[in-house]
Amino acid sequence: MTQPRVVLCMKWGTLYPAVYVNVLYRACRAAITGPFRFVCLTDNDAGLLPEVEAFPIPDLGLTDFDWKKGGWPKLTVFAADLYGLTGRALFIDLDTVICGGLDEMFTHPGEIAVIDTGPNWRAGRIQVPQVAGTGIFAFTLGAHPWIVENFAARPQHFVQKYRIEQIYLQGEFPDLAFWPLPWVASFKYHQRRPVGVGLVLPPRPPAPATKVIAFHGEPRPIDLIRPGIWGIAPNVGRGRVGWMVDYWRRFGGDPERD
């Protein structure tokens, strides 16, 4: 019997408005065959679509600073009982663009599957040790509660030791699986043009094998639907990006308002 499938995302603070969650839900609905639940762990569920199940982010005993830095709240998805959710989960950061089918990401081998965000990601081939990234990762709900329980017992110890949650995850769970490199593209490494060229040419569209594009840092997806200069000097681009505007509009966003 096929186990249930759950897409998880997390929204806290004001950096990502509700439209990010709603666009991600609609994009996932188009990219996943058959039923699944879409869950947002959040401190504010205002504006979310009815199809989005919203629950509070579980408390980890973090300081205000560590709550906002390092992605540590994401560890709460490994709880023994996360609001009664069961099955295979795919956690997706809100600054992610869905480009292809996601069914294979639920069935990819490995207990926990993550992005290789090290030098291999930039080079497009496996040549050095892999470095875990949790912009999109798959796991079985309730299977590894010790990941969050150990952290919650000594949060300051692990914050000081690992700095960010994805380094903690790789340090404490060394048997991670990694997505095939073509599946997850980096906007910075694979779509953005070289310094100077971005002011003349738009970013490259996603390759056929790309399932998702990760926007780690700046710019963020919403920046590419707005006029003007985006990015951080010297890696900047100019104006609206056609394929990003089309994506945003296709999945319910409003490029003129958002």
Side-chain angles (χ1 to χ4, degrees), residues 150-166:
N150 287 1
F151 177 85
R154 295 192 296 164
Q156 288 307 306
H157 166 76
F158 288 117
V159 166
Q160 293 174 12
K161 181 177 180 180
Y162 289 114
R163 188 173 59 83
I164 58 176
E165 49 75 40
Q166 59 194 23

Side-chain angles (χ1 to χ4, degrees), residues 199-217:
L199 293 172
V200 181
L201 295 177
R204 300 175 184 87
T210 301
K211 293 183 178 296
V212 302
I213 298 176
F215 282 72
H216 43 111

Side-chain angles (χ1 to χ4, degrees), residues 23-232:
V23 166
L24 180 61
Y25 163 74
R26 293 189 180 104
C28 288
R29 177 64 283 173
I32 298 172
T33 304
F36 68 97
R37 296 174 69 177
F38 189 97
V39 174
C40 180
L41 302 177
T42 183
D43 59 358
N44 182 0
D45 63 1
L48 300 184
L49 290 169
E51 297 91 337
V52 175
E53 301 179 55
F55 297 102
I57 302 170
D59 182 39
L60 265 183
L62 293 164
T63 65
D64 287 344
F65 178 83
D66 293 328
W67 177 262
K68 298 173 183 177
K69 301 290 184 182
W72 295 105
K74 289 165 71 171
L75 293 178
T76 61
V77 301
F78 292 106
D81 181 3
L82 184 67
Y83 299 108
L85 298 169
T86 61
R88 191 70 173 169
L90 188 64
F91 184 99
I92 308 177
D93 276 351
L94 291 180
D95 54 353
T96 303
V97 169
I98 310 300
C99 305
L102 299 181
D103 291 347
E104 289 179 288
M105 302 190 94
F106 287 98
T107 58
H108 186 67
E111 295 184 58
I112 302 176
V114 298
I115 311 170
D116 178 3
T117 57
N120 298 321
W121 203 20
R122 186 189 295 266
R125 61 184 183 277
I126 304 297
Q127 55 185 2
V128 297
Q130 294 165 297
V131 179
T134 54
I136 179 168
F137 65 95
F139 65 103
T140 299
L141 287 151
H144 305 290
W146 58 267
I147 291 175
V148 63
E149 291 168 358
N150 287 1
F151 177 85
R154 295 192 296 164
Q156 288 307 306
H157 166 76
F158 288 117
V159 166
Q160 293 174 12
K161 181 177 180 180
Y162 289 114
R163 188 173 59 83
I164 58 176
E165 49 75 40
Q166 59 194 23
I167 298 177
Y168 166 84
L169 183 61
Q170 187 164 17
E172 300 297 310
F173 196 98
D175 294 327
L176 295 171
F178 291 84
W179 304 121
L181 287 174
W183 284 11
V184 183
S186 158
F187 178 80
K188 290 181 178 180
Y189 301 156
H190 307 122
Q191 320 309 134
R192 188 177 64 185
R193 301 288 182 174
V195 172
V197 180
L199 293 172
V200 181
L201 295 177
R204 300 175 184 87
T210 301
K211 293 183 178 296
V212 302
I213 298 176
F215 282 72
H216 43 111
E218 294 189 33
R220 296 180 173 86
I222 207 166
D223 297 328
L224 274 59
I225 70 171
R226 295 169 174 165
I229 302 295
W230 44 260
I232 299 177

